[in-house]
Amino acid sequence: MTTATHSSVTETAVKRAIPMNVFRQSAPLRAVCLENRELVGPGGIGTVRHLVFDTSAGPYPFLEGQSAGILPPGRDANGKPHKLRLYSIASTRHGDTGDGKTLSLCVRRLEYPHPETGETVYGVCSTYLCGLKVGEEVSMTGPTGKAMLLPDDPTATIIMLATGTGIAPFRAHLWRMFRENNPDYEFRGSAWLIFGIPTTPNILYREELEDFQRHANFRLTYAISREQKNAKGGRMYIQDRVAEHVGELWELLQRDNTHVFICGLRGMEDGIDAAFEAYTAGLGIRWAEYREHLEKSHRWHVETY
């Protein structure tokens, strides 16, 4: 995943050390695959794998919202080493095991028709990762990224808008907020996840997400495009859910400690902007200017790929 749009340092960055590029391409970490399991249920579209890596050969320090780099083996058609790929980390700094010695990724195998032959082309790195066997090593760089870091304020309102594997950093955020007992971060704010997926079997980490609903300060909304209809009778996409709840979302944005996080396919932010723009026009407010205010306040966080 490559970072786009907003990538400035958050206000909290000056209060904490942010690990950056501890491991580089010239000297990567040799991380060992501990787990590789399918996240898409029967009847779903494509394949998405949850991978857990042993990083104890490091250590590999990171914060929730950062990304890890993977160097796939082999060479391209020009004889050059394959390029580094970035993936959002899907676990907290303590890892799925809680001992700080693992890191998790959420990887969709990229596949698309060749524009000339029509044959299916598979992504180099995603196919490599999805096919990893337990015990195999990968070359890992990083961590990198500052745009998606959670604010230190434990009373903040966190709005998360995700499509597909864009759920990865939000899984880390939600574990940090609701699953771990962190003496340095006792979350007392509220969180709302709006998650866009094509079918019900494609709800990644569904059991975990729905379990978090036992917390009164967590709200979960799905936009299931091939099963649900929007107000106009078309497919329900994430921008339709934003438009549906835009009045409530706007009210939340009036709080000076509300943060919006957007992660997923590039272009998803356009529909979200359009929904807010249509609403704020009726208030006599230019959305582009207001969003710029949010960005300058380090409250509007985007990472699309």
Side-chain angles (χ1 to χ4, degrees), residues 173-245:
H173 290 350
L174 291 168
W175 273 49
R176 177 81 171 155
M177 289 186 278
F178 298 116
R179 189 157 180 166
E180 297 182 339
N181 295 317
N182 298 299
D184 60 326
Y185 183 77
E186 183 182 349
F187 186 68
R188 303 185 302 279
S190 62
W192 186 358
L193 170 64
I194 302 178
F195 190 14
I197 56 278
T199 70
T200 295
N202 286 91
I203 301 175
L204 310 178
Y205 304 110
R206 181 180 181 181
E207 185 175 341
E208 291 181 16
L209 296 178
E210 295 181 359
D211 180 63
F212 287 135
Q213 290 184 107
R214 60 191 170 85
H215 298 277
N217 53 343
F218 174 62
R219 183 172 175 181
L220 175 62
T221 303
Y222 293 133
I224 309 176
S225 62
R226 302 195 184 191
E227 298 175 12
Q228 299 173 333
K229 299 295 184 181
N230 60 26
K232 296 180 180 180
R235 288 186 173 185
M236 175 66 77
Y237 293 108
I238 192 166
Q239 63 265 28
D240 300 309
R241 285 295 187 208
V242 171
E244 183 180 281
H245 299 287

Side-chain angles (χ1 to χ4, degrees), residues 107-124:
V107 179
R108 177 179 73 89
R109 186 178 66 184
L110 176 64
E111 48 185 281
Y112 58 92
H114 190 281
E116 296 178 358
T117 66
E119 295 182 359
T120 301
V121 179
Y122 296 97
V124 171

Side-chain angles (χ1 to χ4, degrees), residues 162-175:
T163 58
T165 55
I167 193 66
F170 302 144
R171 178 183 186 258
H173 290 350
L174 291 168
W175 273 49

Side-chain angles (χ1 to χ4, degrees), residues 71-88:
L71 289 164
R75 296 180 178 272
D76 63 21
N78 297 316
K80 296 181 179 180
H82 288 300
K83 294 181 179 179
L84 173 79
R85 269 72 163 186
L86 293 177
Y87 293 90
S88 295

